[in-house]
Amino acid sequence: MSDHIDPKKLDRLAEVAVRIGVNLRKGQDLVITAPTDALPLVQRIAVHAYKAGAGLVIPLFSDDQITLARYQHAPDESFDRAPDWMFEAMGKAFEGGAARMAIASEDPLLLADIDPDKVARASKAQSIARQPAMKPIVGFEVNWNIVAYPGAAWAKTVYPDLPVAEAQGKLMDAIYDASRLAGDDPVANWEAHTAELKKRVNWLNAQKFDALHYTGPGTDLMLGLAEGHIWKGGASPALNGITCQPNIPTEEVFTCPHAYRVDGRVSATKPLAHQGTVIRDISVRFEAGKIVEASASEGEDVFRDLLKVDDGASRIGEVALVPHSSPISQSGTLFYNTLFDENASCHIALGQSYADTVEGGSELAPEELKQKGANQSLIHVDWMMGSDAVDIDGVTKTGERVPVMRSGEWAN
Ligand code: ZN
Ligand code: ZN
């Protein structure tokens, strides 16, 4: 581990991830997926998990160099395969009551020089195989959490002018601040923050908007909301009854858009780091919910391939509001990691919706969810389209307009 990473900060991150993030229960197993880079954090998480009474802590590691070795040397057939047996085992673990934790620390540029066709094939095979492990997560059946570790390559991308060990130390500090861990009592920080998010959620739910209208540079978008959509944000109970904080950090309130009622043009306000490629200056046009035109100044091939994964990949499944004054946005740092960048900006996600953002959604069949406008896809990719130049109006069923955001801030 870089000796610039403050071990006290690392330990607090691990403790908060276990106690507030996943809120692990006595006797509960914990499945952790992490890059080998993040081993020091996983070790601290294991300590706090067992102190909290974990049954078994099961880490499953990936490794950037091994991933690269595959893209450079594996036979062509390799790129249409994924370890379905592993994802089935993970699905079984969740069915049996295990909680889930993921550590984000990937190199945003890992696959920048790899043939995008190989990347698209491998990621499609992965998305299909991973369904048994993802279903309990998107359906919010189990308590889960994702936190970040300042991996070397990631840190170097964020702070290219610093020596790598120093960059990691600085990224640790940024993760610590963004994750609201500073001060004497991070638990109290998170309680206050959750209360603030709930206030916004309650206001938005009371409005029962039919659509949101976004205007800004390169953006004029009428975004319909799903029938019976529910705004969510901050900690909430999973179907197993355990209240968890899925993302650390989190600044968003979000809900389910209508997959067939989105029209107009929208331009991204930040680059999107997606599976080892950075996609810049995305601009798309929607017609009846489907993206019919798409461009990007960099990574356009990767973006177009992503839209082709399935029918739902060119429609949206999440809409989220984040004020421009959020601490991550104010830090001015571009993280090249969605967990952070999406929490600095209003965003939408291509692909799969969250069943629990529609009233009674967890009990509805896929066909019923679709009728309400909830999108279905193998992918879920968030991209950022908010800034201090974007205004948002809520539009009611009768066409009345209510200001929701002005110049990137809450209008009330
Ligand atoms: Zn989001
Ligand atoms: Zn999302």
Side-chain angles (χ1 to χ4, degrees), residues 146-161:
I146 174 167
V147 288
Y149 177 84
W154 177 29
K156 194 69 189 156
T157 307
V158 180
Y159 305 111
D161 300 333

Side-chain angles (χ1 to χ4, degrees), residues 252 254 318 320 342 347 382:
E252 63 174 347
F254 61 100
E318 179 197 334
E342 76 163 347
H347 57 272
D382 297 271

